[in-house]
Every structure is written in structure tokens, then in C-alpha cells.
Amino acid sequence: MLLGIIVSIFLVPLFLPESFCIASIDYAIYVGGLAGPLAALVGFIYVYLTFLGQQRQLDEQRERLDKEDASKEFAEYLNLWNEFRAEVIYTWDQNSGSKAFDSYWKNVRKAVRGDSKKDLGFDLNRPDEFRNSLRNHLTKSAFNKNSGQYEDFIRMIYPLLEIAERGKLDNKLKYLENLLSDGEKAILVYSATFLDQKDFGIKLFKSGFCKSISNEYLISKEHRNLIF
């Protein structure tokens, strides 16, 4: 567009009626006065567009390197997490491993729902009201109180989510989600969203991570909209 304007400045006088023509010397002065600023403007725009192009390339390269670093870090930490899960046997109510988490979470879910129906109960669909009950049953249950199993689980899995969110590792998250039972997913999403309010976890859940959890493991079906 700018090139068209410059060309028109030089060519328009050639097509004007004779009565509109100006003396050649005046026209030369006119064109000379415009040529310098226009040339400077064209040069500035060229340099600016070149700068933007280089900056965009650097941003894309930086993002690619960050994602590669995050992917490597995620893989290393995932191996540690798997080793930890293999060595530490979670137990609860005559169950072990993921089944222990499922049983533990069902008891927590039942207890929170029960608290909401007491005389001084609360609205299950208001996080600020059910948060204390949820924290109490998650942390003071025998599952965690005597051995810290809940806290160990949270402490080990949060870094994986933080790395995945930072590196935008959606494909890695799908693999991690498939490793978790519904009980583990419930404990993770409720802890990160309502208790610890971890931004990296909240963003991942909003993008679909752990959305495969069954409604049977939600304290309230309405919580699906709050979490995801």
C-alpha cells in the first residue's frame, strides 16, 4: 500500500489536465521534499518488520526448547514417580494400591456428604463451605493420620502436573491420566482445586485433564462444572 502511494505521487501529475499542471521546477522541489521522508519511512518499516520476524523466530525456538526440556524433565520425574508407586504399598480397609485409594476416597466422599446434612450443615456446591470438611476427612482419616499416605501421594504427583502445564505436554498428561484410578483422580482434583488451589492443576483440569473421572467419585455431580 505504501509503495502504491509513493508511485502515485510521481505519476499522478502525468495524467492531470494541463490546467492543473505545475511548473517542472516546482514539481521537482515537491517530489524532492517528499522523497526523503518517504524513503526513511520505508526503511523504518522494513527494519521493523525484519525485527518482528526475527523476534517471532526466537520466541518459537525458545518455546520449542522449553517444551523439549519440560518433556525430558517430565519423563525423568515420571520414572521416579513410578518407582515410588512400585515400592510404597498404600493400604486401607484390607485393600492395597489403587484400590486402597478408591476405598479411602469413597469414605471421604461419604463423610463430607454426611456433614452437609447435619443440623449445622453446608451447601455442597459452595467450595468455601465444604472445604473444611473435605480437608478434615482427607488429612485426619487413619489412611493419612498414621502414615501420611495422602500427603505422600499429593507431594509426589504435584510436580508432574506443574511440569506438564509449564511445557504444555498434553500427550504426556493423557498417559498419566490412564495410570490413575478414579479414586486417585478424585483426590488429586479436589486437593489441587479446592484445598491447595494450585493454578497449574486448575488450568490442566479446565483443559480436560482427569475429566474421565466417573460421577460416582464426585462429591456432587455439580462439581464437574466447577472443576472442569
Side-chain angles (χ1 to χ4, degrees):
M1 182 177 178
L2 182 60
L3 180 60
I5 294 174
I6 295 173
V7 172
S8 67
I9 290 173
F10 286 93
L11 296 182
V12 163
L14 299 178
F15 300 96
L16 290 175
E18 187 175 345
S19 58
F20 288 96
C21 290
I22 57 180
S24 59
I25 186 65
D26 294 333
Y27 179 64
I29 293 173
Y30 166 71
V31 170
L34 286 177
L38 286 174
L41 179 60
V42 170
F44 169 77
I45 292 176
Y46 174 76
V47 171
Y48 180 69
L49 291 177
T50 301
F51 168 75
L52 288 181
Q54 291 176 341
Q55 188 174 36
R56 184 162 49 249
Q57 289 178 350
L58 288 173
D59 289 342
E60 290 174 353
Q61 184 179 18
R62 187 181 300 111
E63 183 177 344
R64 184 171 61 253
L65 290 174
D66 287 345
K67 189 169 184 176
E68 290 174 358
D69 289 342
S71 181
K72 181 179 179 181
E73 186 179 0
F74 183 91
E76 292 174 351
Y77 200 91
L78 182 64
N79 287 334
L80 289 175
W81 183 70
N82 279 325
E83 290 176 8
F84 179 82
R85 281 165 62 90
E87 294 177 4
V88 178
I89 305 299
Y90 296 103
T91 58
W92 170 257
D93 194 26
Q94 298 181 342
N95 292 299
S96 61
S98 295
K99 290 183 179 180
F101 271 99
D102 290 349
S103 177
Y104 160 58
W105 173 252
K106 286 180 178 179
N107 280 358
V108 170
R109 175 181 179 273
K110 181 179 179 181
V112 174
R113 290 171 65 89
D115 287 349
S116 71
K117 298 176 182 178
K118 294 179 179 178
D119 293 339
L120 298 177
F122 46 80
D123 185 349
L124 279 176
N125 297 319
R126 293 179 60 87
D128 56 322
E129 294 188 13
F130 72 72
R131 184 176 289 116
N132 288 337
S133 174
L134 176 61
R135 187 186 303 278
N136 178 62
H137 292 297
L138 275 173
T139 59
K140 295 184 179 179
S141 164
F143 179 87
N144 180 69
K145 188 175 181 180
N146 298 330
S147 58
Q149 295 182 113
Y150 159 73
E151 293 167 353
D152 285 344
F153 170 76
I154 290 299
R155 184 168 54 251
M156 288 297 295
I157 200 168
Y158 273 172
L160 279 173
L161 270 62
E162 187 173 7
I163 297 168
E165 194 279 326
R166 171 163 46 85
K168 298 179 175 59
L169 306 177
D170 296 340
N171 57 329
K172 306 289 186 182
L173 283 172
K174 194 62 182 176
Y175 174 74
L176 176 61
E177 182 174 350
N178 290 335
L179 293 177
L180 300 173
S181 69
D182 276 343
E184 289 172 313
K185 292 174 190 174
I187 292 169
L188 177 58
V189 297
Y190 274 93
S191 297
T193 303
F194 301 118
L195 300 187
D196 301 322
Q197 298 177 321
K198 296 293 187 180
D199 287 341
F200 56 81
I202 292 172
K203 290 178 182 177
L204 292 179
F205 303 141
K206 290 297 183 183
S207 66
F209 178 56
C210 285
K211 197 172 184 178
S212 60
I213 186 175
S214 169
N215 282 341
E216 296 179 5
Y217 284 80
L218 299 177
I219 295 176
S220 168
K221 291 182 180 180
E222 301 300 321
H223 290 178
R224 183 170 293 277
N225 295 328
L226 292 176
I227 298 169
F228 306 107

Coordinates of all heavy atoms in Angstrom, one line a residue, residues 84-167:
F84 N 8.4 -45.0 42.9 CA 7.9 -44.7 44.2 C 6.6 -45.5 44.4 O 6.4 -46.1 45.5 CB 7.6 -43.2 44.4 CG 7.0 -42.8 45.7 CD1 7.8 -42.7 46.8 CD2 5.6 -42.6 45.8 CE1 7.2 -42.3 48.1 CE2 5.1 -42.3 47.1 CZ 5.9 -42.1 48.2
R85 N 5.7 -45.5 43.4 CA 4.5 -46.2 43.5 C 4.7 -47.7 43.6 O 3.9 -48.5 44.2 CB 3.6 -45.9 42.3 CG 2.9 -44.6 42.3 CD 2.3 -44.2 41.0 NE 1.4 -45.1 40.4 CZ 0.1 -45.1 40.6 NH1 -0.4 -44.1 41.4 NH2 -0.8 -45.9 40.1
A86 N 5.8 -48.2 43.0 CA 6.1 -49.6 43.0 C 6.6 -50.1 44.4 O 6.4 -51.2 44.8 CB 7.1 -50.0 41.9
E87 N 7.3 -49.2 45.0 CA 8.0 -49.5 46.3 C 7.0 -49.3 47.5 O 7.1 -50.0 48.5 CB 9.3 -48.7 46.5 CG 10.3 -49.1 45.5 CD 11.6 -48.3 45.6 OE1 11.6 -47.4 46.6 OE2 12.5 -48.4 44.8
V88 N 6.2 -48.2 47.4 CA 5.3 -47.9 48.5 C 4.0 -48.5 48.3 O 3.3 -48.2 47.3 CB 5.2 -46.4 48.7 CG1 4.3 -46.0 49.8 CG2 6.6 -45.8 48.9
I89 N 3.5 -49.4 49.2 CA 2.2 -50.0 49.0 C 1.2 -49.3 49.9 O 1.3 -49.4 51.1 CB 2.3 -51.5 49.4 CG1 3.4 -52.2 48.6 CG2 1.0 -52.2 49.2 CD1 3.2 -52.2 47.1
Y90 N 0.3 -48.6 49.3 CA -0.8 -47.9 50.0 C -1.8 -49.0 50.5 O -2.2 -49.9 49.7 CB -1.5 -46.9 49.1 CG -0.6 -45.7 48.7 CD1 -0.1 -45.7 47.4 CD2 -0.3 -44.7 49.6 CE1 0.7 -44.6 47.0 CE2 0.5 -43.7 49.2 CZ 1.0 -43.6 47.9 OH 1.8 -42.6 47.5
T91 N -2.2 -48.9 51.7 CA -3.2 -49.8 52.2 C -4.3 -49.1 52.9 O -4.1 -48.0 53.6 CB -2.5 -50.8 53.2 OG1 -1.9 -50.0 54.3 CG2 -1.4 -51.6 52.5
W92 N -5.5 -49.7 52.8 CA -6.7 -49.1 53.5 C -7.8 -50.1 53.4 O -8.1 -50.6 52.3 CB -7.1 -47.8 52.9 CG -8.4 -47.3 53.4 CD1 -9.6 -47.3 52.7 CD2 -8.7 -46.6 54.6 NE1 -10.6 -46.7 53.4 CE2 -10.0 -46.3 54.6 CE3 -7.9 -46.3 55.7 CZ2 -10.7 -45.7 55.7 CZ3 -8.5 -45.7 56.8 CH2 -9.9 -45.4 56.8
D93 N -8.4 -50.4 54.5 CA -9.6 -51.2 54.6 C -9.4 -52.6 53.8 O -10.2 -52.9 53.0 CB -10.8 -50.5 54.0 CG -12.1 -51.1 54.3 OD1 -12.2 -51.8 55.3 OD2 -13.1 -50.9 53.5
Q94 N -8.3 -53.2 54.1 CA -8.0 -54.5 53.5 C -7.7 -54.4 52.0 O -7.8 -55.4 51.3 CB -9.1 -55.6 53.8 CG -9.2 -55.8 55.3 CD -10.3 -56.9 55.6 OE1 -11.1 -57.2 54.7 NE2 -10.2 -57.5 56.8
N95 N -7.5 -53.2 51.5 CA -7.2 -53.0 50.1 C -5.8 -52.4 50.0 O -5.3 -51.9 50.9 CB -8.2 -52.1 49.4 CG -9.6 -52.7 49.3 OD1 -9.8 -53.7 48.6 ND2 -10.5 -52.0 49.9
S96 N -5.2 -52.6 48.8 CA -3.8 -52.0 48.6 C -3.7 -51.4 47.3 O -4.6 -51.6 46.4 CB -2.8 -53.1 48.7 OG -3.0 -54.1 47.8
G97 N -2.7 -50.5 47.1 CA -2.5 -49.8 45.8 C -3.7 -48.9 45.5 O -4.2 -48.2 46.3
S98 N -4.0 -48.9 44.2 CA -5.1 -48.0 43.7 C -6.4 -48.3 44.3 O -7.3 -47.4 44.6 CB -5.2 -48.1 42.2 OG -4.0 -47.6 41.5
K99 N -6.7 -49.6 44.6 CA -7.9 -50.0 45.3 C -8.1 -49.4 46.7 O -9.2 -49.0 47.1 CB -8.1 -51.5 45.3 CG -8.3 -52.2 44.0 CD -8.4 -53.7 44.1 CE -8.7 -54.3 42.8 NZ -8.8 -55.8 42.9
A100 N -6.9 -49.2 47.3 CA -6.9 -48.6 48.7 C -7.3 -47.1 48.5 O -8.1 -46.6 49.3 CB -5.5 -48.7 49.3
F101 N -6.8 -46.4 47.5 CA -7.2 -45.0 47.2 C -8.7 -44.9 46.9 O -9.4 -44.0 47.4 CB -6.4 -44.5 46.1 CG -5.1 -43.8 46.5 CD1 -3.9 -44.5 46.4 CD2 -5.1 -42.6 47.1 CE1 -2.7 -44.0 46.8 CE2 -3.9 -42.0 47.5 CZ -2.7 -42.7 47.3
D102 N -9.2 -45.8 46.1 CA -10.6 -45.8 45.7 C -11.5 -46.0 47.0 O -12.5 -45.2 47.2 CB -10.9 -46.9 44.7 CG -10.3 -46.6 43.4 OD1 -9.9 -45.5 43.1 OD2 -10.3 -47.6 42.5
S103 N -11.1 -46.9 47.9 CA -11.9 -47.2 49.1 C -11.8 -46.0 50.0 O -12.8 -45.5 50.6 CB -11.4 -48.4 49.7 OG -12.1 -48.7 51.0
Y104 N -10.6 -45.5 50.2 CA -10.3 -44.3 51.0 C -11.2 -43.1 50.6 O -11.8 -42.4 51.4 CB -8.8 -44.0 51.0 CG -8.4 -42.6 51.5 CD1 -8.7 -42.1 52.7 CD2 -7.6 -41.8 50.6 CE1 -8.3 -40.9 53.1 CE2 -7.2 -40.6 51.0 CZ -7.5 -40.1 52.2 OH -7.1 -38.9 52.6
W105 N -11.1 -42.8 49.3 CA -11.9 -41.7 48.8 C -13.4 -41.8 48.9 O -14.1 -40.9 49.2 CB -11.5 -41.4 47.3 CG -12.4 -40.3 46.8 CD1 -13.4 -40.4 45.9 CD2 -12.4 -38.9 47.1 NE1 -14.1 -39.2 45.7 CE2 -13.4 -38.3 46.4 CE3 -11.6 -38.2 48.0 CZ2 -13.7 -36.9 46.5 CZ3 -11.8 -36.8 48.1 CH2 -12.8 -36.2 47.4
K106 N -13.9 -43.0 48.7 CA -15.3 -43.2 48.9 C -15.8 -42.9 50.3 O -16.8 -42.4 50.6 CB -15.7 -44.7 48.5 CG -15.7 -44.9 47.0 CD -16.1 -46.4 46.6 CE -16.1 -46.6 45.2 NZ -16.4 -48.0 44.8
N107 N -14.9 -43.3 51.3 CA -15.2 -43.0 52.7 C -15.2 -41.5 52.9 O -16.0 -40.9 53.7 CB -14.2 -43.7 53.6 CG -14.5 -45.1 53.8 OD1 -15.5 -45.6 53.4 ND2 -13.7 -45.8 54.6
V108 N -14.2 -40.8 52.3 CA -14.1 -39.3 52.5 C -15.3 -38.7 51.9 O -16.0 -37.8 52.4 CB -12.8 -38.8 51.8 CG1 -12.8 -37.3 51.8 CG2 -11.6 -39.3 52.6
R109 N -15.7 -39.1 50.7 CA -16.8 -38.6 50.0 C -18.1 -38.7 50.8 O -18.9 -37.8 50.9 CB -17.0 -39.3 48.6 CG -18.2 -38.9 47.8 CD -18.2 -39.7 46.5 NE -19.4 -39.4 45.7 CZ -20.6 -40.0 45.8 NH1 -20.7 -40.9 46.7 NH2 -21.6 -39.6 45.1
K110 N -18.3 -39.9 51.3 CA -19.5 -40.2 52.1 C -19.5 -39.4 53.4 O -20.6 -38.8 53.8 CB -19.5 -41.7 52.5 CG -20.7 -42.1 53.4 CD -20.6 -43.6 53.7 CE -21.8 -44.1 54.5 NZ -21.7 -45.5 54.9
A111 N -18.4 -39.2 54.0 CA -18.3 -38.4 55.2 C -18.6 -36.9 55.0 O -19.3 -36.3 55.8 CB -16.9 -38.5 55.9
V112 N -18.1 -36.4 53.9 CA -18.3 -34.9 53.5 C -19.8 -34.8 53.2 O -20.4 -33.8 53.7 CB -17.5 -34.5 52.4 CG1 -17.9 -33.1 51.9 CG2 -16.0 -34.5 52.7
R113 N -20.4 -35.7 52.5 CA -21.8 -35.6 52.2 C -22.6 -35.7 53.4 O -23.7 -35.0 53.6 CB -22.2 -36.7 51.2 CG -21.6 -36.5 49.8 CD -21.8 -37.7 48.9 NE -23.3 -37.9 48.6 CZ -24.0 -37.4 47.6 NH1 -23.3 -36.6 46.8 NH2 -25.2 -37.6 47.5
G114 N -22.2 -36.5 54.4 CA -22.9 -36.7 55.6 C -22.8 -35.4 56.4 O -23.8 -35.0 57.1
D115 N -21.7 -34.7 56.5 CA -21.5 -33.5 57.2 C -22.5 -32.4 56.7 O -23.0 -31.6 57.4 CB -20.1 -33.0 57.1 CG -19.1 -33.8 58.0 OD1 -19.6 -34.6 58.8 OD2 -17.9 -33.6 57.8
S116 N -22.7 -32.4 55.4 CA -23.6 -31.4 54.8 C -25.0 -31.5 55.2 O -25.8 -30.6 55.1 CB -23.5 -31.5 53.2 OG -24.1 -32.6 52.7
K117 N -25.4 -32.7 55.7 CA -26.8 -33.0 56.0 C -27.1 -32.8 57.5 O -28.2 -32.9 58.0 CB -27.2 -34.4 55.6 CG -27.1 -34.6 54.1 CD -27.4 -36.0 53.7 CE -27.3 -36.3 52.2 NZ -27.6 -37.7 51.9
K118 N -26.0 -32.5 58.3 CA -26.2 -32.3 59.7 C -26.9 -30.9 60.0 O -27.1 -30.1 59.1 CB -24.8 -32.3 60.4 CG -24.2 -33.7 60.4 CD -22.8 -33.6 61.1 CE -22.1 -35.0 61.0 NZ -20.8 -35.0 61.7
D119 N -27.3 -30.7 61.3 CA -28.0 -29.5 61.6 C -27.3 -28.3 61.2 O -27.9 -27.3 60.7 CB -28.3 -29.5 63.1 CG -29.2 -30.6 63.6 OD1 -30.0 -31.1 62.7 OD2 -29.2 -31.0 64.8
L120 N -26.0 -28.2 61.4 CA -25.2 -27.1 61.0 C -24.5 -27.4 59.7 O -23.2 -27.2 59.6 CB -24.2 -26.7 62.1 CG -24.9 -26.2 63.4 CD1 -23.8 -25.9 64.5 CD2 -25.7 -25.0 63.2
G121 N -25.2 -28.0 58.8 CA -24.6 -28.4 57.5 C -24.2 -27.3 56.6 O -24.1 -26.2 57.0
F122 N -23.9 -27.7 55.4 CA -23.5 -26.7 54.4 C -23.9 -27.1 53.0 O -24.4 -28.2 52.8 CB -21.9 -26.6 54.4 CG -21.2 -27.9 54.4 CD1 -21.0 -28.6 53.3 CD2 -20.8 -28.4 55.6 CE1 -20.4 -29.8 53.3 CE2 -20.1 -29.7 55.7 CZ -19.9 -30.4 54.5
D123 N -23.8 -26.1 52.1 CA -24.1 -26.4 50.7 C -23.0 -27.0 50.0 O -21.9 -26.5 49.9 CB -24.4 -25.0 50.0 CG -25.0 -25.2 48.6 OD1 -24.9 -26.3 48.1 OD2 -25.5 -24.2 48.0
L124 N -23.2 -28.2 49.5 CA -22.1 -29.0 48.8 C -21.6 -28.3 47.6 O -20.5 -28.6 47.1 CB -22.6 -30.4 48.4 CG -22.6 -31.4 49.5 CD1 -23.3 -32.7 49.0 CD2 -21.2 -31.7 50.0
N125 N -22.4 -27.4 47.0 CA -22.0 -26.8 45.8 C -21.3 -25.4 46.0 O -21.0 -24.7 45.1 CB -23.2 -26.5 44.9 CG -23.8 -27.9 44.5 OD1 -23.1 -28.8 44.1 ND2 -25.2 -27.9 44.5
R126 N -20.9 -25.2 47.3 CA -20.2 -24.0 47.6 C -18.8 -24.4 48.2 O -18.8 -24.8 49.4 CB -20.9 -23.1 48.6 CG -22.2 -22.5 48.0 CD -22.9 -21.6 49.0 NE -22.1 -20.5 49.5 CZ -22.0 -19.4 48.9 NH1 -22.7 -19.1 47.8 NH2 -21.2 -18.4 49.4
P127 N -17.7 -24.3 47.4 CA -16.4 -24.7 47.9 C -16.0 -24.1 49.2 O -15.4 -24.8 50.1 CB -15.5 -24.3 46.8 CG -16.4 -24.2 45.6 CD -17.7 -23.8 46.1
D128 N -16.3 -22.9 49.5 CA -15.9 -22.2 50.7 C -16.6 -22.8 51.9 O -16.2 -22.7 53.1 CB -16.2 -20.7 50.7 CG -17.7 -20.4 50.4 OD1 -18.3 -21.1 49.5 OD2 -18.2 -19.4 50.9
E129 N -17.8 -23.5 51.7 CA -18.5 -24.2 52.8 C -18.1 -25.6 53.0 O -18.0 -26.1 54.2 CB -20.0 -24.1 52.5 CG -20.5 -22.7 52.5 CD -22.1 -22.6 52.4 OE1 -22.7 -23.7 52.6 OE2 -22.6 -21.5 52.2
F130 N -17.8 -26.4 52.0 CA -17.4 -27.8 52.2 C -15.9 -28.0 52.3 O -15.4 -29.1 52.6 CB -18.0 -28.7 51.1 CG -17.3 -28.6 49.7 CD1 -16.1 -29.1 49.5 CD2 -18.0 -28.0 48.7 CE1 -15.5 -29.0 48.2 CE2 -17.4 -27.9 47.4 CZ -16.1 -28.4 47.2
R131 N -15.1 -26.9 52.1 CA -13.6 -27.1 52.1 C -13.1 -27.6 53.4 O -12.3 -28.5 53.5 CB -13.0 -25.7 51.8 CG -11.5 -25.8 51.7 CD -10.9 -24.5 51.3 NE -11.2 -24.2 49.9 CZ -11.9 -23.1 49.5 NH1 -12.5 -22.3 50.4 NH2 -12.2 -22.9 48.2
N132 N -13.6 -27.1 54.6 CA -13.1 -27.5 55.9 C -13.4 -29.0 56.1 O -12.6 -29.7 56.7 CB -13.6 -26.6 57.0 CG -13.0 -25.3 57.0 OD1 -11.9 -25.1 56.5 ND2 -13.7 -24.3 57.5
S133 N -14.6 -29.4 55.8 CA -15.0 -30.8 56.0 C -14.1 -31.7 55.1 O -13.6 -32.7 55.6 CB -16.5 -31.0 55.6 OG -16.8 -32.3 55.7
L134 N -13.9 -31.3 53.9 CA -13.1 -32.1 53.0 C -11.6 -32.2 53.5 O -11.1 -33.4 53.6 CB -13.1 -31.5 51.6 CG -12.2 -32.1 50.5 CD1 -12.6 -33.6 50.3 CD2 -12.2 -31.3 49.2
R135 N -11.1 -31.1 53.9 CA -9.7 -31.2 54.4 C -9.6 -32.0 55.7 O -8.6 -32.8 55.9 CB -9.2 -29.7 54.8 CG -7.7 -29.7 55.1 CD -7.4 -28.3 55.6 NE -7.7 -27.3 54.6 CZ -6.9 -27.0 53.6 NH1 -5.7 -27.7 53.4 NH2 -7.2 -26.1 52.7
N136 N -10.6 -31.9 56.6 CA -10.6 -32.7 57.8 C -10.6 -34.2 57.5 O -9.8 -34.9 58.1 CB -11.8 -32.3 58.6 CG -11.9 -33.1 59.9 OD1 -11.0 -33.0 60.8 ND2 -12.9 -33.9 60.1
H137 N -11.5 -34.6 56.7 CA -11.6 -36.1 56.4 C -10.4 -36.6 55.6 O -10.0 -37.8 55.7 CB -12.9 -36.4 55.7 CG -14.1 -36.2 56.6 ND1 -14.3 -36.9 57.8 CD2 -15.1 -35.3 56.5 CE1 -15.4 -36.5 58.4 NE2 -15.9 -35.5 57.6
L138 N -9.8 -35.8 54.7 CA -8.7 -36.2 53.9 C -7.4 -36.4 54.8 O -6.7 -37.4 54.6 CB -8.4 -35.3 52.8 CG -9.2 -35.4 51.5 CD1 -8.9 -34.3 50.5 CD2 -8.9 -36.8 50.8
T139 N -7.2 -35.5 55.6 CA -6.0 -35.4 56.4 C -6.0 -36.2 57.7 O -5.0 -36.7 58.2 CB -5.5 -34.0 56.7 OG1 -6.5 -33.3 57.4 CG2 -5.3 -33.3 55.3
K140 N -7.2 -36.2 58.3 CA -7.3 -36.9 59.7 C -7.8 -38.3 59.7 O -7.9 -38.9 60.7 CB -8.2 -36.0 60.6 CG -7.6 -34.6 60.8 CD -8.4 -33.8 61.8 CE -7.7 -32.4 62.1 NZ -8.5 -31.6 63.0
S141 N -8.1 -38.8 58.5 CA -8.5 -40.2 58.3 C -7.3 -41.0 58.7 O -6.2 -40.6 58.5 CB -9.0 -40.5 56.9 OG -9.0 -41.8 56.7
A142 N -7.6 -42.2 59.2 CA -6.5 -43.2 59.5 C -5.6 -43.5 58.3 O -4.4 -43.8 58.5 CB -7.1 -44.5 60.1
F143 N -6.1 -43.3 57.1 CA -5.3 -43.6 55.9 C -4.1 -42.6 55.9 O -3.1 -43.0 55.4 CB -6.2 -43.3 54.7 CG -5.5 -43.5 53.4 CD1 -5.4 -44.8 52.8 CD2 -4.9 -42.4 52.7 CE1 -4.8 -45.0 51.6 CE2 -4.3 -42.6 51.5 CZ -4.2 -43.9 50.9
N144 N -4.3 -41.4 56.3 CA -3.2 -40.4 56.3 C -2.6 -40.2 57.7 O -1.4 -40.0 57.8 CB -3.7 -39.1 55.7 CG -2.6 -38.1 55.6 OD1 -1.7 -38.2 54.8 ND2 -2.7 -37.0 56.4
K145 N -3.5 -40.1 58.7 CA -3.1 -39.7 60.0 C -1.9 -40.5 60.6 O -1.0 -40.0 61.2 CB -4.2 -39.8 61.0 CG -4.0 -39.1 62.3 CD -5.2 -39.1 63.2 CE -5.0 -38.5 64.5 NZ -6.2 -38.4 65.4
N146 N -1.9 -41.8 60.4 CA -0.9 -42.7 60.9 C 0.3 -42.9 60.1 O 1.4 -43.1 60.6 CB -1.5 -44.1 61.2 CG -2.7 -44.0 62.2 OD1 -2.7 -43.2 63.1 ND2 -3.6 -44.9 62.1
S147 N 0.2 -42.7 58.7 CA 1.3 -43.0 57.8 C 1.6 -41.9 56.8 O 2.6 -41.9 56.1 CB 1.1 -44.3 57.1 OG -0.1 -44.2 56.4
G148 N 0.7 -40.8 56.7 CA 0.9 -39.8 55.8 C 0.8 -40.2 54.3 O 1.4 -39.6 53.4
Q149 N -0.1 -41.2 54.1 CA -0.2 -41.7 52.7 C -0.8 -40.7 51.7 O -0.4 -40.6 50.6 CB -1.0 -43.0 52.7 CG -0.4 -44.2 53.4 CD -1.2 -45.5 53.4 OE1 -0.8 -46.4 52.8 NE2 -2.3 -45.5 54.0
Y150 N -1.8 -40.0 52.2 CA -2.4 -39.0 51.4 C -1.4 -37.9 51.0 O -1.3 -37.5 49.9 CB -3.6 -38.4 52.1 CG -4.0 -37.0 51.6 CD1 -4.7 -36.9 50.3 CD2 -3.8 -35.8 52.3 CE1 -5.0 -35.6 49.8 CE2 -4.2 -34.6 51.8 CZ -4.8 -34.5 50.6 OH -5.1 -33.2 50.1
E151 N -0.7 -37.4 52.0 CA 0.3 -36.3 51.8 C 1.4 -36.8 50.9 O 1.9 -36.0 50.1 CB 0.8 -35.8 53.1 CG -0.3 -35.1 54.0 CD 0.1 -34.9 55.4 OE1 1.2 -35.4 55.8 OE2 -0.6 -34.2 56.1
D152 N 1.9 -38.0 51.0 CA 2.9 -38.6 50.1 C 2.4 -38.6 48.7 O 3.2 -38.2 47.8 CB 3.3 -40.0 50.6 CG 4.1 -40.0 51.8 OD1 4.7 -39.0 52.2 OD2 4.2 -41.1 52.4
F153 N 1.2 -39.0 48.5 CA 0.6 -39.1 47.1 C 0.6 -37.7 46.5 O 1.1 -37.5 45.4 CB -0.8 -39.7 47.2 CG -1.5 -39.6 45.9 CD1 -1.2 -40.4 44.8 CD2 -2.5 -38.6 45.7 CE1 -1.9 -40.3 43.6 CE2 -3.2 -38.5 44.5 CZ -2.9 -39.4 43.5
I154 N 0.1 -36.7 47.2 CA 0.0 -35.3 46.7 C 1.4 -34.7 46.5 O 1.6 -34.1 45.4 CB -0.8 -34.4 47.7 CG1 -2.3 -34.9 47.7 CG2 -0.7 -33.0 47.4 CD1 -3.0 -34.7 46.4
R155 N 2.3 -34.9 47.4 CA 3.6 -34.4 47.3 C 4.4 -34.9 46.1 O 5.1 -34.2 45.4 CB 4.4 -34.7 48.6 CG 5.8 -34.0 48.6 CD 6.4 -34.1 49.9 NE 6.5 -35.4 50.5 CZ 5.7 -35.8 51.5 NH1 4.9 -34.9 52.1 NH2 5.8 -37.0 52.0
M156 N 4.1 -36.2 45.7 CA 4.8 -36.8 44.6 C 4.2 -36.5 43.2 O 4.9 -36.4 42.2 CB 4.8 -38.3 44.8 CG 5.7 -38.8 45.9 SD 7.5 -38.4 45.5 CE 7.8 -39.4 44.1
I157 N 2.9 -36.2 43.2 CA 2.2 -36.0 41.9 C 2.1 -34.6 41.5 O 2.1 -34.2 40.3 CB 0.8 -36.7 41.9 CG1 0.4 -36.9 40.4 CG2 -0.2 -35.8 42.7 CD1 -0.9 -37.8 40.3
Y158 N 2.1 -33.6 42.4 CA 2.0 -32.2 42.1 C 3.2 -31.8 41.1 O 2.9 -31.1 40.1 CB 2.1 -31.3 43.3 CG 0.7 -31.1 43.9 CD1 0.6 -30.5 45.2 CD2 -0.5 -31.5 43.3 CE1 -0.7 -30.2 45.7 CE2 -1.7 -31.3 43.9 CZ -1.8 -30.6 45.1 OH -3.1 -30.4 45.7
P159 N 4.4 -32.2 41.3 CA 5.5 -31.7 40.4 C 5.2 -32.2 39.0 O 5.6 -31.5 38.0 CB 6.7 -32.4 41.0 CG 6.4 -32.5 42.4 CD 5.0 -32.9 42.5
L160 N 4.6 -33.4 38.8 CA 4.3 -33.9 37.4 C 3.4 -32.9 36.7 O 3.5 -32.6 35.6 CB 3.8 -35.3 37.5 CG 4.7 -36.4 37.6 CD1 4.0 -37.7 37.9 CD2 5.6 -36.5 36.4
L161 N 2.4 -32.5 37.5 CA 1.4 -31.6 36.9 C 2.0 -30.2 36.6 O 1.7 -29.6 35.5 CB 0.2 -31.4 37.8 CG -1.0 -32.4 37.7 CD1 -0.5 -33.8 37.9 CD2 -2.1 -32.0 38.6
E162 N 2.8 -29.8 37.5 CA 3.5 -28.5 37.3 C 4.4 -28.5 36.0 O 4.3 -27.5 35.2 CB 4.3 -28.1 38.5 CG 4.8 -26.7 38.5 CD 5.5 -26.3 39.8 OE1 5.7 -27.2 40.6 OE2 5.9 -25.1 39.9
I163 N 5.1 -29.5 35.8 CA 6.0 -29.6 34.7 C 5.2 -29.7 33.4 O 5.5 -29.1 32.4 CB 6.9 -30.9 34.8 CG1 7.8 -30.7 36.0 CG2 7.7 -31.1 33.5 CD1 8.6 -32.0 36.4
A164 N 4.1 -30.5 33.4 CA 3.3 -30.8 32.3 C 2.6 -29.5 31.9 O 2.4 -29.2 30.7 CB 2.2 -31.8 32.6
E165 N 2.1 -28.7 32.8 CA 1.4 -27.4 32.5 C 2.4 -26.4 31.9 O 2.1 -25.7 30.9 CB 0.7 -26.9 33.8 CG -0.3 -25.8 33.5 CD 0.3 -24.4 33.3 OE1 1.4 -24.2 33.9 OE2 -0.2 -23.6 32.5
R166 N 3.6 -26.4 32.5 CA 4.6 -25.4 32.0 C 5.0 -25.7 30.6 O 5.2 -24.8 29.8 CB 5.8 -25.4 33.0 CG 7.0 -24.7 32.5 CD 8.0 -24.4 33.6 NE 8.2 -25.5 34.4 CZ 9.1 -26.4 34.2 NH1 9.9 -26.4 33.1 NH2 9.3 -27.4 35.0
G167 N 5.2 -27.0 30.3 CA 5.6 -27.4 29.0 C 4.5 -27.7 28.0 O 4.8 -28.1 26.8

